[in-house]
Amino acid sequence: LCSGQGAELQWNSRPLRPIDALQIGALKTAPAFEIALYAGLRAAEVEVDEDLLRHLATYIGEGFQVLNDLDDWDGHPSSRRPPGHDVITGRPTILRAFADDAGAAEQLEALTEQARALDDPTDAIALVRDLYDESGAFEKARALHSRLRDGALELAEQMPSAALRELARFLVRSILKRPTVA
């Protein structure tokens, strides 16, 4: 957990590869899901393959981070932040990674600096959204989220009992559910 949070904090707006963004998410979020699942299962005196649990938690953690990155732009009423907040705070998101990978790193850096310097960054944030659209970052992130969710559901099917399979499927569907935007 600390390694992932540290990696996120140390990222300095340099070009980001999708694998790096996923690794940060896996390090930062997956351990939280893993320990919660492990502790609950141990408290219930249920034995489970620790490697299977770790892999499931990794898929859930990565999927959760991708979903979180997408949610930053969806303007969902449950969000407490304005769209594009991750750009202003300089978070290394999967969207940034996909846009960087598509050759937009320099443009994104300039827009990020512009957004941070303005009292009202609305116009700069809108340009970042356009750049994410043009580079296919949103589409790629949604596809990645679906693959991670499907991978987690496949792992849920490997749980040793019907009750654990049901629990794992419920957790995956609950945690990795995309909210509907009205």
Side-chain angles (χ1 to χ4, degrees):
L1 251 162
C2 293
S3 295
Q5 190 61 55
E8 179 177 294
L9 292 171
Q10 287 180 331
W11 179 73
N12 291 322
S13 300
R14 62 190 176 278
L16 183 67
R17 298 176 310 164
I19 191 71
D20 297 327
L22 275 178
Q23 184 178 30
I24 290 169
L27 287 170
K28 186 173 98 165
T29 309
F33 289 115
E34 181 180 354
I35 194 65
L37 288 167
Y38 182 80
L41 292 171
R42 293 296 295 165
E45 298 180 359
V46 174
E47 293 292 321
V48 67
D49 180 320
E50 290 181 22
D51 286 334
L52 176 60
L53 190 64
R54 184 170 296 111
H55 285 101
L56 177 65
T58 297
Y59 273 96
I60 293 172
E62 289 175 343
F64 179 84
Q65 283 301 138
V66 171
L67 186 60
N68 183 274
D69 293 350
L70 286 166
D71 286 349
D72 184 52
W73 291 92
D74 285 343
H76 195 269
S78 65
S79 178
R80 291 180 222 113
R81 305 175 305 183
H85 181 76
D86 288 344
V87 170
I88 295 168
T89 59
R91 284 193 58 245
T93 68
I94 195 68
L95 296 167
R96 173 72 182 244
F98 283 136
D100 282 359
D101 200 44
E106 287 182 25
Q107 278 182 281
L108 273 172
E109 184 56 30
L111 288 171
T112 298
E113 288 177 22
Q114 183 181 354
R116 288 180 185 162
L118 299 170
D119 289 334
D120 181 7
T122 305
D123 291 340
I125 295 297
L127 292 172
V128 172
R129 179 187 292 277
D130 291 345
L131 197 55
Y132 283 174
D133 273 329
E134 291 166 13
S135 68
F138 288 120
E139 184 179 319
K140 290 173 187 173
R142 288 182 191 105
L144 176 59
H145 173 265
S146 292
R147 287 193 307 272
L148 291 167
R149 184 179 179 275
D150 291 347
L153 287 170
E154 286 176 24
L155 287 172
E157 294 305 319
Q158 296 178 29
M159 288 292 175
S161 71
L164 284 177
R165 286 189 294 277
E166 174 94 15
L167 172 66
R169 285 190 302 261
F170 172 78
L171 290 173
V172 170
R173 288 184 180 123
S174 298
I175 295 167
L176 298 183
K177 180 180 180 182
R178 292 268 336 213
T180 54
V181 179

